[in-house]
Amino acid sequence: MEQVDVAVIGGGQSGLAAAHALRGRGRRPVLLEASGRAGGSWPHYYDSLTLFSPARFCSLPGMPFPGDPDRYPHRDEVAEYLAAYAARLDAEVRTGSRVAGVREDGPGFVLELADGARLAARAVVAATGTFGRPYRPALPGLGGFTGAVVHSSEYRNPAPYEGRRVVVVGAGNSAVQIAAELAEVAHATLATRRPVRFAPQRPLGRDLHVWLTRSGIDRAPVGRLLRTPPSQPVIDDGRYRGALLRGAPDRRPPFAGAEGREITWADGTTEAVDAIVLATGYRPDLSCLTGRLAPGGTGRPSHRGGVSTAHPGLAFVGLDWQRSLSSNALRGVGRDAAHIARRLAAHLAAR
């Protein structure tokens, strides 16, 4: 069985940042990416996805994001940047290497790959993200709805919905963005439990992320105080608030039931609907962790600052609120990767 120093599972932004940080600590990481290219889930997001943070805040450690630092990059630009980052990375990247299981083996780990290969690793970094585990809430009557039901992870563009009746469930950035573009070609409704909260994209003439950075809110531990609001606001330059005010899309409370092709709204009215888009987010995709390493009933692993409480040789990068507001964002994974690399290097040195 092949022995490796540190196995990094996932070749997206978190895994790449982790591998870079581990090299900086003198470790020899092997990055295992399930797909045929590094870059994680970025190539699979919907076609119109544009970041709400400027390019200057989208860099991983050691490689600035190219082009105008004040522009808002498109999905494809991010995918290309991550592929270029992987090509320059001073670490081994193995694509087409899906990890099916990770178990403890004494002080280290054994990784079972989907092709039957096995690796022994002294330490493991789980940087698997969330795209592989979309959250599909148990909405009333959804199981009996016979129209199309897709998660935002499956949505690409509005063309298939032209002239249709569509309901988008969710109140976050993606939900509002998808609903607004659907409203240009379809009769679209945004279904949310409470009114959508907006945050201006450029308060006082500067991008919001400038103020988050300067104030320290974007970093641990200050940003963690913001974890408890009822919902994160939608970052907006005015277009999405304006679209909702125009009723394109309109907003309603979530539907109370569904049967066949009809849904029943909270006020008792019913109507035929062609499709429901669940823009309801994701959960950590950690199904490869087994035994004591597996997350509990919440699906979220037990950790302190990204280091597992079940095994000191296991760490995470890219978890939502792992150490700060930006832990699962391009601008934050580098800081968290540096933290866990320091902890893992000390653990391995002590052994």
Side-chain angles (χ1 to χ4, degrees), residues 56-174:
R56 69 172 69 250
F57 295 99
C58 299
S59 301
L60 295 182
M63 181 176 164
F65 203 98
D68 180 0
D70 291 320
R71 79 186 195 287
Y72 297 92
H74 181 263
R75 172 202 68 182
D76 294 344
E77 293 181 83
V78 179
E80 291 168 5
Y81 168 78
L82 294 177
Y85 191 93
R88 291 178 47 174
L89 190 64
D90 184 22
E92 183 178 358
V93 178
R94 300 183 186 179
T95 57
S97 299
R98 180 177 298 277
V99 178
V102 181
R103 61 178 173 83
E104 294 177 287
D105 184 40
F109 306 87
V110 170
L111 290 80
E112 306 277 352
L113 274 57
D115 63 5
R118 300 169 71 217
L119 297 176
R122 300 183 67 205
V124 170
V125 178
T128 44
T130 61
F131 191 78
R133 194 183 171 207
Y135 175 58
R136 301 173 186 267
L139 299 175
L142 190 62
F145 180 69
T146 58
V149 179
V150 300
H151 190 270
S152 56
S153 59
E154 303 164 296
Y155 173 84
R156 291 294 173 269
N157 58 66
Y161 305 93
E162 186 172 356
R164 304 282 185 169
R165 180 70 177 100
V166 188
V167 174
V168 179
V169 179
N173 286 307
S174 295

Side-chain angles (χ1 to χ4, degrees), residues 10-262:
Q13 61 196 37
S14 302
L16 293 170
H20 179 275
L22 288 162
R23 286 296 294 138
R25 290 283 169 178
R27 309 314 308 182
R28 300 181 306 283
V30 173
L31 192 151
L32 304 169
E33 164 59 30
S35 71
R37 59 174 287 183
S41 55
W42 282 99
H44 308 292
Y45 288 124
Y46 54 95
D47 296 347
S48 64
L49 176 63
T50 301
L51 272 65
F52 289 92
S53 53
R56 69 172 69 250
F57 295 99
C58 299
S59 301
L60 295 182
M63 181 176 164
F65 203 98
D68 180 0
D70 291 320
R71 79 186 195 287
Y72 297 92
H74 181 263
R75 172 202 68 182
D76 294 344
E77 293 181 83
V78 179
E80 291 168 5
Y81 168 78
L82 294 177
Y85 191 93
R88 291 178 47 174
L89 190 64
D90 184 22
E92 183 178 358
V93 178
R94 300 183 186 179
T95 57
S97 299
R98 180 177 298 277
V99 178
V102 181
R103 61 178 173 83
E104 294 177 287
D105 184 40
F109 306 87
V110 170
L111 290 80
E112 306 277 352
L113 274 57
D115 63 5
R118 300 169 71 217
L119 297 176
R122 300 183 67 205
V124 170
V125 178
T128 44
T130 61
F131 191 78
R133 194 183 171 207
Y135 175 58
R136 301 173 186 267
L139 299 175
L142 190 62
F145 180 69
T146 58
V149 179
V150 300
H151 190 270
S152 56
S153 59
E154 303 164 296
Y155 173 84
R156 291 294 173 269
N157 58 66
Y161 305 93
E162 186 172 356
R164 304 282 185 169
R165 180 70 177 100
V166 188
V167 174
V168 179
V169 179
N173 286 307
S174 295
V176 173
Q177 193 174 68
I178 289 172
E181 75 170 11
L182 280 170
E184 295 178 4
V185 301
H187 178 191
T189 291
L190 183 68
T192 70
R193 287 191 176 88
R194 35 180 89 83
V196 179
R197 299 171 60 237
F198 290 99
Q201 189 161 33
R202 299 185 64 84
L204 302 177
R206 302 296 299 274
D207 184 86
L208 175 65
H209 295 85
V210 173
W211 304 118
L212 290 175
T213 300
R214 290 185 176 180
S215 65
I217 291 175
D218 205 37
R219 296 173 174 264
V222 179
R224 298 186 69 165
L225 299 176
L226 301 178
R227 187 173 183 173
T228 55
S231 64
Q232 294 297 315
V234 172
I235 301 174
D236 185 29
D237 60 4
R239 80 182 88 169
Y240 297 117
R241 184 193 294 270
L244 282 171
L245 288 173
R246 295 192 306 272
D250 66 316
R251 190 201 76 83
R252 298 189 191 185
F255 50 86
E259 185 176 352
R261 295 292 291 267
E262 289 193 337

